[in-house]
Amino acid sequence: MKKILLFLTLALSLSGLSQENEAVSFKKNEMKVNAAFLVAGALDVSYERIINEESAFGASLFLAIDDDIDTKVMLTPYYRYYFGKKPAAGFFAEGFGMLNNYESYKYNTIGNESRTTNRTDFALGFGLGAKWITKKGFLFEINGGVGRNLFNSSDTDYEIVGRGGITFGYRFN
């Protein structure tokens, strides 16, 4: 009886070890381009590093190409938690910080004059989205989020910031 119990204990221990060694490996880096902003006149590129099958962190850099866009630069680090069956894919929730630089306009109604000021602020926010990935590593993502600027609260035009896009990219090692 002791030999059978010892054998079962040893077999269960080894099967647990073999499952750890046979962990599913997957690619952990992503580069993405936001097609929605590209059409609108801005470049928005992202890098994401997958921590494990359920979470990742990354950063997006937004640069305005068109002079008509008030927001000139945004640097947005983020953390995502995924709820899908594939590694780091499916529905996700994210928290983000956003360092943003924008032009603020002040209008004088008496003389019809306007004054432009350049402001920089930092926002905190959250977002939701979904990511689909092919077996070859190509990915498609839709996301949206909202945040609040923390420092220039007197500038009511840019108190709330948005984040979102329709993104295409590639996952690699």
Side-chain angles (χ1 to χ4, degrees), residues 5-169:
L5 188 57
L6 180 63
F7 176 76
L8 288 175
T9 305
L10 184 61
L12 289 174
S13 298
L14 289 176
S15 68
L17 289 174
S18 67
Q19 286 177 356
E20 286 180 10
N21 292 338
E22 293 175 9
V24 177
S25 65
F26 53 91
K27 299 174 182 176
K28 296 190 175 192
N29 299 293
E30 294 179 358
M31 288 297 297
K32 302 177 273 191
V33 175
N34 189 335
F37 283 149
L38 199 57
V39 171
L43 178 65
D44 185 20
V45 295
S46 300
Y47 169 78
E48 187 170 317
R49 174 72 178 174
I50 298 167
I51 301 168
N52 57 37
E53 291 186 5
E54 296 176 335
S55 62
F57 64 89
S60 295
L61 179 63
F62 171 95
L63 299 169
I65 298 169
D66 193 349
D67 290 336
D68 294 336
I69 299 174
D70 292 341
T71 304
K72 300 304 176 192
V73 177
M74 290 188 296
L75 179 62
T76 309
Y78 59 85
Y79 172 80
R80 289 183 175 169
Y81 190 84
Y82 290 92
F83 298 95
K85 293 180 182 178
K86 290 183 179 180
F91 176 75
F92 63 83
E94 76 174 13
F96 66 87
M98 180 187 292
L99 181 65
N100 55 76
N101 178 276
Y102 57 91
E103 289 182 352
S104 175
Y105 301 99
K106 300 288 183 185
Y107 295 99
N108 182 351
T109 57
I110 298 171
N112 287 334
E113 297 176 0
S114 66
R115 185 180 72 204
T116 304
T117 57
N118 195 346
R119 297 198 179 217
T120 301
D121 209 333
F122 185 78
L124 291 175
F126 67 94
L128 300 172
K131 182 189 294 184
W132 296 270
I133 186 161
T134 67
K135 291 179 182 178
K136 299 219 181 220
F138 294 100
L139 60 92
F140 174 71
E141 175 181 303
I142 297 174
N143 71 320
V146 64
R148 180 181 208 94
N149 275 331
L150 301 175
F151 302 113
N152 290 321
S153 60
S154 63
D155 188 7
T156 57
D157 291 344
Y158 296 97
E159 189 172 353
I160 304 296
V161 296
R163 168 169 163 71
I166 300 170
T167 307
F168 295 93

